[in-house]
Amino acid sequence: MSHTRCLLPVMCGIHLGLLFSCAAKSPSEPSIVFNDTICHLALNKDTPRDSFDFVYKNAGDKKLVIYTVDPSCDCLTAKFEQTLLAKGDSSYIRIYFDATNEQGEFWRTLDVYTNARKEPYTLEIEGTIE
């Protein structure tokens, strides 16, 4: 009877170990990680335009692609390469902000659609115009 009590925890441990080792070996999906998700701009009426690079990396095992980037207004444009990014590789989304018709504080967003997940990633642009 004492052997049965000793074997049960050992068998459970082996079973759980096999489950976790199988789960760890399955390939992960692509995963996008941004260096920054918020851009802070300080503009003035003499220089109402600026740009910023949102740098990102593929932290997953499968190739990452950005399908599209959707700015929240016409004062914001984005440029990016629509290529497959291998595991560990980095790239960027360059945004151009034109505050010619803006005053005071502003807050805008970009929705980034990828093959990493169904919901978009939201990047923010905020700042002031003096």
Side-chain angles (χ1 to χ4, degrees), residues 67-82:
Y67 297 128
T68 188
V69 177
D70 187 19
S72 64
C73 74
D74 290 338
C75 60
L76 191 59
T77 56
K79 301 220 185 254
F80 65 96
E81 291 186 22
Q82 194 174 18

Side-chain angles (χ1 to χ4, degrees), residues 24-118:
K25 290 181 182 176
S26 66
S28 74
E29 296 300 313
S31 175
I32 190 168
V33 176
F34 288 92
N35 288 357
D36 296 300
T37 57
I38 300 174
C39 164
H40 303 279
L41 299 176
L43 305 171
N44 62 52
K45 291 183 182 189
D46 294 332
T47 56
R49 295 178 182 94
D50 203 356
S51 64
F52 181 81
D53 291 345
F54 283 103
V55 177
Y56 63 92
K57 177 180 179 178
N58 181 4
D61 287 337
K62 291 186 179 177
K63 291 188 177 185
L64 171 74
V65 66
I66 292 182
Y67 297 128
T68 188
V69 177
D70 187 19
S72 64
C73 74
D74 290 338
C75 60
L76 191 59
T77 56
K79 301 220 185 254
F80 65 96
E81 291 186 22
Q82 194 174 18
T83 59
L84 290 173
L85 202 63
K87 174 184 178 178
D89 286 349
S90 296
S91 191
Y92 61 91
I93 300 168
R94 178 164 293 152
I95 58 111
Y96 298 94
F97 186 70
D98 184 353
T100 303
N101 299 321
E102 305 281 335
Q103 288 183 351
E105 294 182 1
F106 61 87
W107 178 76
R108 302 290 187 270
T109 60
L110 292 167
D111 286 335
V112 180
Y113 294 88
T114 72
N115 65 335
R117 68 179 189 188
K118 291 181 183 180

